[in-house]
């Protein structure tokens, strides 16, 4: 049995992954944006899940989420699932929050970051970005390129951790819309497999995965110079150092 923390697990792929992992006998820690969202996961709480609360668009609350998780004990895996598609919160939720949680949550054995096939359209440009969302300075594609590069940087710098990025496909969730053509079950299967699977391939760090198949990400995601620039930008924006040891 593994203990797994999943961000953004009140609905969509995060909730679906939580339900499957609970059914498989794992201990799951849910995350919801506000206490009013606990009702949406009451059935999962009744099945033994626990929950932490905090709005990941606010760095202070993201830091508090990390503290709540640490008080529950060390996680075996973290799935960074929370994300937004439009608006000023793209960088805070899609990039700053995964960085803050990676830096502050007690280091697990496995880290899974939700990317997207749209990251291939992202621009590896970091100048002049509004990391805290006072304005809208990047696209969703940009944010997913950045978080994919973060996953690859973690895999390189933390050899004792299996860090992976996942393209879940265009699936029929609230974000994807009801007419999305991809398979919803396949949309969360890979995250579950990477977080808790026994397949040796799931233990390969630094992969970019789509439906349990490893693909090549955008070249910038594995560019060490770009990774270093990204980490410096995130450290400067958050005031939180990334432990490179």
């Amino acid at each position: 049995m593994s203990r797994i923390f999943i961000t953004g697990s009140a609905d969509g792929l995060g909730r679906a992954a939580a339900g499957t992992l609970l059914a498989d006998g794992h201990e799951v820690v849910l995350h919801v944006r506000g206490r009013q969202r606990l009702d949406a996961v009451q059935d999962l709480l009744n099945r033994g899940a626990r929950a932490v609360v905090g709005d990941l668009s606010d760095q202070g609350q993201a830091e508090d989420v990390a503290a709540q998780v640490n008080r529950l004990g060390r996680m075996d895996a973290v799935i960074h699932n929370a994300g937004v598609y439009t608006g000023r919160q793209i960088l805070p939720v899609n990039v700053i929050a995964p960085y803050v949680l990676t830096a502050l949550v007690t280091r697990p054995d496995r880290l899974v970051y939700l990317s997207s096939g749209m990251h291939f359209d992202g621009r590896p440009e970091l100048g002049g970005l509004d990391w805290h969302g006072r304005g809208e300075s990047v696209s969703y594609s940009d944010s997913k390129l950045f978080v994919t590069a973060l996953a690859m940087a973690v895999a390189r710098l933390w050899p004792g951790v299996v860090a992976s990025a996942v393209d879940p496909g265009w699936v029929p969730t609230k974000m994807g819309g009801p007419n999305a053509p991809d398979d919803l079950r396949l949309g969360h299967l890979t995250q579950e497999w990477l977080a808790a699977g026994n397949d040796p391939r799931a233990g390969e760090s630094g992969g970019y995965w789509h439906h349990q198949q490893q693909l090549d990400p955008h070249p910038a995601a594995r560019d060490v110079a770009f990774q270093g620039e990204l980490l410096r930008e995130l450290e400067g924006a958050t005031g939180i150092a990334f432990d490179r040891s």
Side-chain angles (χ1 to χ4, degrees):
M1 183 181 74
S2 295
R3 179 184 291 164
I4 302 164
F5 170 49
I6 308 172
T7 68
S9 37
D11 55 24
L13 294 175
R15 191 187 200 287
T20 301
L21 290 165
L22 279 170
D24 289 343
H26 299 289
E27 183 178 343
V28 174
V29 177
L30 309 169
H31 158 257
V32 297
R33 186 172 59 252
R35 299 200 66 81
Q36 72 279 7
R37 295 287 283 159
L38 288 170
D39 287 345
V41 296
Q42 189 59 55
D43 60 322
L44 299 178
L45 297 174
N46 292 343
R47 292 167 56 190
R50 291 187 282 180
V52 298
V53 179
D55 185 345
L56 296 184
S57 69
D58 177 272
Q59 183 182 328
Q61 292 193 46
E63 292 178 22
D64 185 62
V65 166
Q68 292 175 59
V69 171
N70 287 338
R71 286 195 293 270
L72 293 175
R74 180 180 175 274
M75 299 295 126
D76 297 295
V78 175
I79 301 176
H80 292 283
N81 168 81
V84 297
Y85 187 67
T86 59
R88 295 184 294 106
Q89 297 179 344
I90 286 177
L91 278 177
V93 175
N94 294 6
V95 187
I96 289 288
Y99 172 78
V100 168
L101 294 172
T102 299
L104 298 183
V105 170
T106 301
R107 197 177 300 188
D109 297 321
R110 301 184 183 191
L111 286 161
V112 181
Y113 298 83
L114 265 288
S115 180
S116 166
M118 292 177 68
H119 92 280
F120 288 106
D121 297 322
R123 300 164 298 172
E125 300 170 5
L126 298 170
L129 299 185
D130 184 350
W131 290 104
H132 293 289
R134 291 176 291 271
E136 190 171 347
S137 58
V138 299
S139 68
Y140 177 79
S141 298
D142 297 336
S143 75
K144 289 303 180 180
L145 173 57
F146 299 164
V147 83
T148 305
L150 174 61
M152 300 301 110
V154 172
R156 177 174 60 86
L157 294 167
W158 290 357
V161 173
V162 176
S164 311
V166 177
D167 167 18
W170 183 11
V171 293
T173 61
K174 183 170 65 177
M175 181 184 291
N179 298 316
D182 215 338
D183 186 297
L184 180 61
R185 174 69 187 109
L186 292 178
H188 55 97
L189 173 63
T190 303
Q191 293 91 283
E192 300 153 11
W193 176 71
L194 289 168
N198 294 319
D199 186 328
R201 292 188 304 139
E204 298 173 9
S205 193
Y208 169 74
W209 298 88
H210 175 66
H211 296 353
Q212 295 180 292
Q213 299 300 312
Q214 196 167 164
L215 306 175
D216 289 325
H218 190 300
R222 289 199 170 126
D223 183 274
V224 172
F226 179 69
Q227 291 174 8
E229 184 182 357
L230 175 64
L231 288 176
R232 287 190 294 274
E233 285 285 329
L234 291 169
E235 287 176 325
T238 63
I240 298 171
F242 184 82
D243 183 356
R244 289 166 170 78
S245 61

